[in-house]
Amino acid sequence: GRDTIILAGGTVQLQAQAAGTGLDYRWTPISYLSDPQIANPIASPNEDILYTLNVSSNQGCLAADNIFIKVLQLPEIPNAFTPNADGYNDVWNIRYLESYTNATVEIFNRYGQQVYYSVGYANPWDGRFKSEELPMGTYYYIINPGNGRKAMTGAVTLIK
């Protein structure tokens, strides 16, 4: 089957195709499958998983294939960070956002001026705008992860 991506909490029907008589289907691991002994079970994993399908016929023919399911977790957005160069919490790390390769992140100050923008999040926000440190305060974000998830909005506090 073809590798696929689903959102955490979602489901996907695995699509196996085999020809022959008296076919026996065995999916492994059996975790999160509706029925590991049918050709097209429903999978609802909550983490990335590699499924293997072994098919055998009553004539002794064997075939196997794999399908990888990437599960996109809901980004975990911290509400504060401390860019004070102490090595702890110096950037605004958004857990799981790296798996949303086309995500956009916008951050605004209290006047509505955009102080940060990125497509993807390879370089987390460090509390700077045009290489200058921003003052302590509350900033507002819009994160659009794409891939079927709705945009997320909220506030983040920059603490010094």
Side-chain angles (χ1 to χ4, degrees), residues 15-33:
Q15 300 293 324
Q17 296 178 356
T21 58
L23 298 179
D24 181 46
Y25 299 92
R26 303 278 178 196
W27 289 94
T28 56
I30 63 172
S31 307
Y32 315 110
L33 292 177

Side-chain angles (χ1 to χ4, degrees), residues 60-140:
C61 295
L62 301 172
D65 197 6
N66 296 318
I67 183 170
F68 179 74
I69 299 177
K70 172 78 177 161
V71 179
L72 295 177
Q73 302 294 330
L74 183 64
E76 293 178 5
I77 305 169
N79 61 3
F81 73 111
T82 58
N84 58 7
D86 66 355
Y88 297 100
N89 212 18
D90 287 333
V91 294
W92 192 45
N93 280 320
I94 303 170
R95 192 171 178 197
Y96 303 123
L97 191 58
E98 73 280 354
S99 60
Y100 296 85
T101 55
N102 293 318
T104 59
V105 178
E106 297 176 86
I107 301 172
F108 303 89
N109 64 18
R110 64 183 175 166
Y111 304 109
Q113 178 187 17
Q114 187 179 69
V115 297
Y116 179 87
Y117 177 82
S118 75
V119 176
Y121 201 58
N123 298 308
W125 185 44
D126 62 1
R128 294 176 181 268
F129 177 57
K130 295 184 179 179
S131 301
E132 297 291 324
E133 290 184 13
L134 289 168
M136 182 170 68
T138 301
Y139 294 82
Y140 303 92

Side-chain angles (χ1 to χ4, degrees), residues 39-52:
N40 302 311
I42 303 293
S44 54
N46 57 14
E47 60 190 4
D48 296 352
I49 193 165
L50 178 68
Y51 286 112
T52 300

Side-chain angles (χ1 to χ4, degrees), residues 142-156:
I142 300 172
I143 299 171
N144 187 350
N147 290 37
R149 290 220 187 267
K150 293 181 181 177
M152 297 167 279
T153 61
V156 57

